[in-house]
Amino acid sequence: MNRNASIHTVNRLPKYLQCLNELKSKGVERVSSTEIAELIGTTASQVRQDFSVFGSYGAQGYGYNIDLLSTELRQIMGIDRPHRVAIVGVGGIGRALLEHMEFEKYGYSVVAGFDVDDTLIGKRVNGVQIYSVKDIAQVLDENAVDICILTVSQSAAKEVAQHLAQVGVPAIWNFTNEKLDLPKETVVQNINFQDSLFVLTYYLEHNSNAEETSA
Amino acid sequence: MNRNASIHTVNRLPKYLQCLNELKSKGVERVSSTEIAELIGTTASQVRQDFSVFGSYGAQGYGYNIDLLSTELRQIMGIDRPHRVAIVGVGGIGRALLEHMEFEKYGYSVVAGFDVDDTLIGKRVNGVQIYSVKDIAQVLDENAVDICILTVSQSAAKEVAQHLAQVGVPAIWNFTNEKLDLPKETVVQNINFQDSLFVLTYYLEHNSNAEETSA
């Protein structure tokens, strides 16, 4: 059933969760699809359609129970289970993520870092041991890493990503601005700063904001 | 006419440009919608529809001239014009962007940084002068900044964003994971690390990759 979820539905899931968390922190217990739609900037029918893909239906005249829906969303996204993360490239962005992102808050443990810089290898950054990229296969295996954060330079991105795929890393979170061509078995999620800045510039030049459509 | 471009079309524009740049670097002069579709992972009809929104039509049996289309895309996105950028929050991610992102390559000049940290104020980071956030209105105005990169802590995000909107910053590139509620005049583009990690986790747990639909 989840196979039917479009990329757009999946991209909205974290926004639904954040919206439910905010309502919960205000002591709200139930919410209608119309209220959710207003909070995340889409339509009520889109909200109902998104949730129905996962088998969640609000009761007529009652809406959705926030606790239940929130638990369901976390299960669907898999963030109710712990994940083990490694950061590949502990320079600029990688280091900033290591030092500032609240991984533990949602059950992500950062268990290793990798770099080519001899002055970093063997050290700890924010409590995380930094290894040589040469040892990547062994360290990832020993630590049962399921997500690698790819924060190497753009020029090294394709080669390192190929290597990660070869040693069987299940998922790569790609910050390199480089399009990776990997086997389908490797899950890739891109955060592309350059694309995002271009999209911002488009809306700046057109004097408008992005509007979520029902697509 | 551009008003008709959906958020999904706009999000694909940088990918089209990157694809054309790559073909150009290989000496290719023209390309069909089918070839573009394969390279960026969508359908040929989607490509033709996206380009037609901007009045670009390939010639039957010839396809698109890469130079012309690339120039048109840059004009449509507004990246053929220079932009002036300030970074608000020069800690972790802000500093990493300042030191590692190739802003100049596409005509973005970083003209100022802001922080609350007294040890940074008055200094230069990567050649960029760091000012106190107290002086933000004056410095932004004097430097004709059109894009502010918001890299303050999540707890400070809403307040600082409100202030930026009040002093008339045209566009905010928001890295704070916080949803900003600003007047429509302020263009906002979000890079939400947390959302992206959750989407990655969804695909990891469902053993699949995101597939672009024709939506």
Side-chain angles (χ1 to χ4, degrees), chain B residues 69-116:
Chain B
L69 186 58
S70 169
T71 302
E72 278 179 331
L73 275 172
R74 294 167 71 96
Q75 281 172 355
I76 287 155
M77 283 191 278
I79 56 172
D80 59 331
R81 294 181 278 287
H83 292 94
R84 297 173 68 80
V85 175
I87 301 194
V88 186
V90 196
I93 296 292
R95 192 181 192 111
L97 288 174
L98 197 47
E99 291 177 344
H100 295 276
M101 187 151 168
E102 299 178 282
F103 288 103
E104 294 290 342
K105 190 172 168 188
Y106 290 98
Y108 298 86
S109 306
V110 183
V111 295
F114 297 93
D115 213 290
V116 289

Side-chain angles (χ1 to χ4, degrees), chain A residues 2 8 15 39 76-77 81 83 92 100 108 173 179 186 188 191 193 195-196 201-202 205-206 209, chain B residues 2-3 8 15 39 76-77 81 83 92 108 173 179 186 188 191 193 195-196 201-202 205-206 209:
Chain A
N2 293 331
H8 307 303
K15 296 184 197 310
L39 286 166
I76 287 156
M77 282 192 278
R81 293 181 277 289
H83 292 95
H100 295 277
Y108 299 87
W173 195 19
K179 188 172 182 289
T186 314
V188 176
I191 285 223
F193 291 170
D195 285 4
S196 176
T201 306
Y202 173 90
E205 295 293 329
H206 293 262
N209 257 299
Chain B
N2 293 331
R3 294 282 167 185
H8 308 302
K15 298 186 197 309
L39 287 166
I76 287 155
M77 283 191 278
R81 294 181 278 287
H83 292 94
Y108 298 86
W173 196 19
K179 189 171 183 286
T186 313
V188 176
I191 285 222
F193 292 169
D195 285 4
S196 176
T201 307
Y202 173 91
E205 296 292 329
H206 293 262
N209 258 299

Side-chain angles (χ1 to χ4, degrees), chain A residues 108-192:
Chain A
Y108 299 87
S109 305
V110 183
V111 294
F114 297 93
D115 212 288
V116 288
D117 181 350
D118 285 335
T119 65
L120 283 170
I121 295 164
K123 302 262 167 63
R124 284 181 175 268
V125 174
N126 219 39
V128 173
Q129 183 76 36
I130 311 301
Y131 299 91
S132 164
V133 286
K134 289 177 198 154
D135 300 326
I136 219 162
Q138 191 192 338
V139 175
L140 292 180
D141 186 50
E142 283 174 1
N143 287 281
V145 167
D146 48 12
I147 299 171
C148 275
I149 305 181
L150 190 63
T151 41
V152 298
S153 66
Q154 190 166 3
S155 58
K158 288 202 175 186
E159 193 187 332
V160 176
Q162 285 288 352
H163 187 55
L164 291 175
Q166 273 161 20
V167 303
V169 170
I172 296 175
W173 195 19
N174 174 27
F175 279 75
T176 68
N177 286 348
E178 192 74 27
K179 188 172 182 289
L180 306 177
D181 292 310
L182 298 177
K184 282 208 169 183
E185 299 78 64
T186 314
V187 171
V188 176
Q189 173 74 9
N190 300 300
I191 285 223
N192 192 314

